[in-house]
């Protein structure tokens, strides 16, 4: 029987799971994915934890009761619950981390999304999460907002490994790569061993197609509709070309000579949102050596079952991807406006999920609190 996930891994794609909940940890489900599905990392976000904690209340009930008895504030309670799961997942992933010299075996936890526009608060929270989880295979997720860029540099400069999230445009990705190199330079100045610092840059894919397709459909011309479903993959391929250009440059080569690790591109938002599109497209059409693809389990299952894995589908595709973007612009799509909207919506969605989680947990803490007297 064809092992399509093995084929993907053999190309050099690191398969990460975009999901985590306590049930998956207690049942051994995560360990099974490592053993049998080539999963070598985990990403989380506020929406994932909102779903896992609110829908799996029984798995968290004992810890919620303990937090209520202690009178812990709801924000700190959320951090206690999520850090517990992430620390546990880091321990499950530790053999992978050791085997890959720190490249994989990684688990991500995100700073409070309400801090996406607050640089200093993001830096402080990144430090707190790094201390709280206290595992070398943690990645702290920081959004690639304009305010997040200096926070990324500062966190890396403090020796914290970072997952930069919510990247939508190649232009912003260039700023992210610059922030990464600045962070490594600061880390070296601060006496940190660069070999111990790792990072990924999470470039979102399917959401780009959703918004660009909406703009193309609104234009409605034959030339516009002929471009439907092409922008997301082309955008990611242009990001890959930018990554190759930067890592060939002198600045990066100087850092690599000091033991620095490349900030690997990570394809995020790889679950298909348009049911008319193949459910494996954001995986098999973005396969390249030394990239990461983080998948919701539904997408992982689809690739395992019928994924059309056909080798490296990214290297050398930059010119064709640029032609797609030129065509999208030519029919009248304002890509700058699309990317700005995607970032704003991405931040808002994560804030909404976080606020929902806080509301639900506030009620759970109140219900579990000891009666007065």
């Amino acid at each position: 029987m064809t092992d399509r996930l093995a084929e993907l891994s053999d190309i050099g794609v690191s398969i990460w799971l975009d999901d985590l909940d306590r049930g998956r940890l207690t049942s051994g489900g995560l360990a099974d994915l490592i053993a049998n599905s080539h999963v070598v990392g985990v990403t989380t976000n506020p929406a994932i934890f909102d779903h896992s904690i609110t829908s799996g209340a029984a798995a968290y009930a004992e810890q919620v009761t303990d937090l209520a008895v202690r009178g812990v504030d709801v924000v700190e309670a959320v951090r206690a619950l999520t850090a517990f799961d992430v620390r546990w997942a880091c321990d499950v992933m530790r053999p992978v981390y050791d085997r890959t010299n720190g490249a994989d075996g990684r688990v991500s936890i995100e700073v409070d999304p309400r801090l996406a526009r607050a640089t200093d608060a993001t830096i402080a929270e990144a430090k707190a999460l790094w201390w709280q989880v206290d595992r070398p295979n943690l990645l702290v997720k920081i959004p690639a907002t304009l305010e997040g860029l200096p926070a990324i540099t500062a966190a890396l400069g403090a020796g914290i490994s970072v997952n930069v999230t919510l990247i939508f445009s190649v232009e912003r990705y260039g700023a992210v790569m610059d922030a990464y190199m600045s962070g490594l330079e600061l880390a070296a100045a601060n006496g940190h061993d660069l070999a111990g610092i790792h990072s990924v840059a999470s470039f979102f894919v399917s959401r780009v197609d959703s918004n660009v397709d909406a703009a193309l459909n609104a234009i409605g011309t034959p030339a516009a509709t002929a471009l439907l479903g092409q922008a997301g993959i082309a955008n990611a391929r242009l990001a890959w070309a930018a990554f190759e250009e930067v890592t060939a440059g002198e600045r990066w080569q100087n850092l690599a000579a000091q033991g620095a690790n490349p900030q690997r591109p990570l394809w995020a938002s790889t679950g298909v949102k348009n049911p008319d599109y193949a459910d494996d497209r954001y995986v098999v059409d973005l396969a390249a050596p030394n990239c990461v693809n983080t998948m919701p389990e539904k997408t992982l299952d689809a690739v395992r079952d019928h994924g059309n894995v056909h080798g490296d589908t990214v290297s050398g595709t930059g010119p064709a991807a640029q032609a797609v973007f030129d065509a999208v612009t030519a029919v009248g799509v304002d890509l700058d406006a699309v990317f700005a909207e995607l970032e704003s919506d991405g931040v808002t969605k994560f804030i909404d999920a976080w606020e929902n989680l806080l509301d639900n947990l506030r009620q759970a803490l109140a219900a579990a609190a000891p009666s007065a007297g």
Side-chain angles (χ1 to χ4, degrees):
M1 184 174 182
T2 301
D3 189 340
R4 296 176 177 85
L5 295 173
E7 292 178 353
L8 192 66
S9 181
D10 288 343
I11 294 167
V13 178
S14 290
I15 300 169
W16 291 10
L17 177 71
D18 191 30
D19 191 32
L20 183 65
D21 61 70
R22 195 160 295 181
R24 193 185 294 279
L25 293 164
T26 56
S27 68
L30 178 58
D32 180 70
L33 287 173
I34 296 169
N36 298 309
S37 297
H38 308 278
V39 169
V40 292
V42 173
T43 51
T44 69
N45 60 46
I48 285 171
F49 277 126
D50 175 36
H51 178 265
S52 65
I53 294 175
T54 56
S55 65
Y60 295 90
E62 181 178 354
Q63 190 178 6
V64 168
T65 298
D66 290 344
L67 293 165
V69 169
R70 291 169 52 208
V72 173
D73 170 82
V74 66
V75 174
E76 290 305 312
V78 167
R79 279 304 178 214
L81 293 170
T82 57
F84 186 98
D85 285 358
V86 168
R87 188 184 307 113
W88 189 346
C90 281
D91 291 342
V92 175
M93 279 284 168
R94 184 58 188 261
V96 178
Y97 168 84
D98 292 336
R99 185 178 73 244
T100 61
N101 198 29
D104 288 313
R106 294 279 173 174
V107 185
S108 297
I109 189 170
E110 189 158 343
V111 297
D112 186 330
R114 298 173 299 178
L115 306 178
R117 308 292 182 187
T119 301
D120 290 344
T122 295
I123 296 168
E125 172 127 333
K127 291 177 179 178
L129 289 172
W130 188 251
W131 170 86
Q132 187 174 19
V133 175
D134 192 27
R135 294 295 186 272
N137 49 333
L138 177 71
L139 291 174
V140 176
K141 290 181 80 171
I142 298 176
T145 58
L146 289 176
E147 298 84 355
L149 294 172
I152 292 160
T153 294
L156 291 160
I160 297 170
S161 292
V162 173
N163 177 342
V164 183
T165 189
L166 289 177
I167 307 172
F168 296 99
S169 72
V170 176
E171 180 183 11
R172 183 60 56 82
Y173 178 45
V176 167
M177 289 189 285
D178 181 73
Y180 178 58
M181 291 186 287
S182 295
L184 291 177
E185 290 159 352
L186 179 59
N190 290 338
H192 293 287
D193 179 5
L194 298 189
I197 300 172
H198 285 258
S199 182
V200 293
S202 295
F203 205 86
F204 282 51
V205 187
S206 67
R207 295 190 194 183
V208 172
D209 267 341
S210 295
N211 285 39
V212 173
D213 281 1
L216 291 169
N217 280 320
I219 294 167
T221 63
T225 56
L227 293 165
L228 289 170
Q230 297 186 46
I233 290 170
N235 196 37
R237 289 172 172 172
L238 287 172
W240 184 264
F243 166 74
E244 290 186 316
E245 181 179 355
V246 167
T247 52
E250 182 179 359
R251 186 183 182 191
W252 170 252
Q253 292 301 319
N254 287 336
L255 288 164
Q258 299 174 60
N261 301 292
Q263 182 186 52
R264 291 188 296 167
L266 179 152
W267 312 129
S269 182
T270 57
V272 172
K273 293 176 173 54
N274 185 334
D276 293 334
Y277 296 156
D279 54 7
D280 64 346
R281 71 193 311 258
Y282 300 122
V283 178
V284 300
D285 288 342
L286 289 174
N290 300 315
C291 74
V292 180
N293 195 305
T294 186
M295 313 175 205
E297 191 164 16
K298 183 178 180 181
T299 302
L300 183 76
D301 290 342
V303 175
R304 180 196 295 109
D305 180 68
H306 55 263
N308 180 26
V309 180
H310 49 283
D312 181 348
T313 52
V314 178
S315 299
T317 60
Q322 186 60 56
V324 170
F325 260 44
D326 292 343
V328 168
T329 301
V331 299
V333 176
D334 184 343
L335 287 170
D336 288 339
V338 168
F339 294 138
E341 181 182 21
L342 281 164
E343 180 181 292
S344 178
D345 287 351
V347 170
T348 298
K349 286 175 181 176
F350 281 168
I351 290 174
D352 289 347
W354 198 249
E355 295 282 8
N356 187 64
L357 175 56
L358 290 174
D359 288 344
N360 287 326
L361 184 55
R362 193 176 288 111
Q363 296 174 34
L365 290 169
S371 302

